[in-house]
Amino acid sequence: MAERKQLFLNLFEMATASHITHGLWPLPGNNRERFADIDYWTELAQILEHGGFDGIFLADVIGAYDVFRGGPETALREGLQSPNIDPLLVIPAMAAVTERLGFGVTFSTTYEPPFAFARRMSTLDHLTKGRVGWNVVTSYLPNAAHNFGLDGEVPHDLRYQYADEYLDVLYKLWEGSWDDDAVVADRANKIFTDPSKVRYINHVGERHRVSGPHIVHPSRQRTPVLFQATGSPAGIEFAGRHAEVVFTGGRTTEEFRRNADGMRDAAVRHGREREDVKFIAMAGIIVGRTEEEAADKWKLYRENSSLDGILAHSSLPVDLTAFPRDITVAEALRRADVSPSKVPFLPLERTVGQALDFVGGSRDDRFLVVGTAKTVADEIEKWLDEDGLDGINLRQYHSFDTARDFAELVVPELRKRGRLPDESERSDTLRERLFGAGNSRLPDRHIGARYRGGANLDNPVEPLRFDTANAASF
Ligand SMILES: Cc1cc2nc3c(=O)[nH]c(=O)nc-3n(C[C@H](O)[C@H](O)[C@H](O)COP(=O)(O)O)c2cc1C
């Protein structure tokens, strides 16, 4: 029998009260208000590690959601991604109480220079013994730009151009600046590092000038596993060059497959193999001991979901809740003097009521399942075999019930079906878990590998270029 494809299983988290399931933090027993308590993270990490998860994935933003209703009030009231503590800093606490759990962490390429970030990620890769991944984002909040000295957001495609140079600097530092055997720690000769094995990178680009050498010696993975979420043409091209794991979606199997194929084509354009890119999706899974118990939980979550939270999160530039439900969206936009081009995702000819119901209920997407462990496992098997998905970021409705329920009920069922490894089989670096034993480092054909051993440091890579004049600015 052909080997069964296994699920790459992450919990989706954010160091905040309300990440993506708005309105649920006050539910009985939900302990999201503890997100700034170090014990929250160590307890959660242990639940995940012992419960069979591969990793925890931490989202991040660096600004307030202040577009909806023209200010941050709604977001603040909702606990919507503010307050939000630094996700990089909770990782060592979790690493200290686990041995195998992986950590995916979000950081933006747009605002902070690369040298300090290279250092922080190398530090985390050392402290976690090679269990760290980076979710590369370019940041979408206007307030983030205002926090870092800019008048407004950098246009969308230009952000990807900036990100491309950012990663080039990082690869030079992570892959090219130090040889693996540079640190000798030779007591007899009193030599800590062999200086002939460490080099400057002398990067001079359009946006960054970084001389190096890297200030941290090589870690297990050197470059952390590179994650990215995208659907735009510029983002897909960027993913084709850089990303190892992409979040993608689709409302149907065909759409998902088409999206994934587009990204694989992009990878091939950048000299990589189709299987060098894995795909994960955000999944809503509500499991119960009976179908009824699961349905009740789902009902509870839906009934408590906050429309205000969802609207503030989507940075809707018009407050549709202030209009009668029976007028069309087009009419509401006209009255609010907001151009339809600012809200391309809204159905203009529908009524305001229909649009609000659509936005409020849009979680009922392809990767959602409510039921017993058997129902859930059947569905996950379809995602793996029919859609071609490699893994999921499990959406949390309740902390820690979502993770515990999945660990107690679904993990044993998936293990029984050969869809998750037994605890004893687990590999130790994050990249090995994704790409197999012995693959702790970037593959040779990845663009970051061109700097290995100091090669190509004076041979610049062709930068990614987009038609930034035509790029949308959101
Ligand atoms: C599952 C998922 C997680 C994301 N997490 C973050 C995040 O933590 N921080 C952030 O700024 N953007 C996050 N994003 C947004 C993406 O980085 C990106 O802006 C978005 O997918 C649109 O990309 P595109 O404009 O290239 O299509 C996330 C997107 C998805 C689908």
Side-chain angles (χ1 to χ4, degrees), residues 12 14 19 57-62 65 81 106 108 135-141 156 159-160 228-236 247-248 281-282 393 474:
F12 204 13
M14 186 166 183
H19 169 207
F57 197 94
L58 293 149
D60 193 35
V61 292
I62 41 178
Y65 285 81
Q81 304 190 3
T106 300
S108 173
N135 180 29
V136 184
V137 302
T138 67
S139 291
Y140 51 74
L141 291 173
H156 179 276
R159 294 205 298 269
Y160 279 114
Q228 192 198 341
T230 188
S232 64
I236 292 170
F247 290 106
T248 193
M282 182 161 58
N393 263 7
F474 51 83

Side-chain angles (χ1 to χ4, degrees), residues 245-470:
V245 185
V246 179
F247 290 106
T248 193
R251 297 217 153 241
T252 62
T253 299
E254 294 67 36
E255 200 179 306
F256 178 85
R257 283 193 168 274
R258 207 168 38 245
N259 290 343
D261 270 345
M263 309 230 187
R264 289 197 181 96
D265 291 346
V268 171
R269 282 199 291 283
H270 290 281
R272 303 167 69 198
E273 303 284 336
R274 298 184 87 72
E275 62 272 19
D276 287 355
V277 186
K278 303 253 185 211
F279 296 94
I280 64 180
M282 182 161 58
I285 295 175
I286 298 96
V287 63
R289 279 169 186 78
T290 60
E291 295 287 342
E292 199 180 20
E293 185 189 310
D296 285 347
K297 263 193 230 174
W298 183 222
K299 185 159 168 276
L300 177 75
Y301 299 154
R302 285 178 74 94
E303 282 174 357
N304 285 277
S305 174
S306 162
L307 183 60
D308 264 13
I310 294 169
L311 295 174
H313 191 183
S314 60
S315 294
L316 200 68
V318 54
D319 181 4
L320 285 182
T321 64
F323 293 92
R325 281 179 65 89
D326 58 351
I327 66 169
T328 62
V329 171
E331 174 59 17
L333 293 180
R334 198 190 59 72
R335 290 188 198 176
D337 199 20
V338 169
S339 160
S341 66
K342 297 251 188 240
V343 283
F345 48 88
L346 282 185
L348 295 179
E349 296 317 316
R350 296 279 183 87
T351 65
V352 165
Q354 286 168 333
L356 287 175
D357 293 346
F358 170 76
V359 174
S362 59
R363 284 138 194 244
D364 310 347
D365 52 18
R366 168 113 194 90
F367 301 112
L368 174 83
V369 56
V370 182
T372 60
K374 179 181 176 314
T375 309
V376 168
D378 287 350
E379 189 66 15
I380 290 175
E381 290 202 299
K382 282 192 208 147
W383 298 344
L384 293 170
D385 296 340
E386 293 173 20
D387 295 79
L389 202 64
D390 297 296
I392 57 171
N393 263 7
L394 184 65
R395 183 196 285 273
Q396 274 192 105
Y397 298 91
H398 189 290
S399 303
F400 300 129
D401 280 4
T402 302
R404 271 202 201 106
D405 287 349
F406 197 94
E408 281 172 22
L409 301 174
V410 185
V411 167
E413 183 67 28
L414 290 174
R415 282 196 173 140
K416 208 162 70 193
R417 300 182 187 200
R419 300 300 190 158
L420 278 177
D422 284 332
E423 211 156 328
S424 58
E425 293 169 25
R426 294 177 165 259
S427 39
D428 56 0
T429 66
L430 183 57
R431 192 173 276 108
E432 284 182 301
R433 167 65 188 110
L434 280 155
F435 296 99
N439 292 312
S440 285
R441 298 275 168 92
L442 283 176
D444 293 344
R445 52 190 177 259
H446 188 283
I447 195 160
R450 73 194 294 273
Y451 299 118
R452 284 197 181 133
N456 291 310
L457 287 172
D458 51 6
N459 174 26
V461 71
E462 189 64 38
L464 286 182
R465 286 272 174 248
F466 304 109
D467 184 1
T468 49
N470 290 329

Side-chain angles (χ1 to χ4, degrees), residues 14-17 35 59-63 79-87:
M14 186 166 183
T16 189
F35 70 86
D60 193 35
V61 292
I62 41 178
L80 163 64
Q81 304 190 3
S82 175
N84 167 37
I85 63 170
D86 188 328

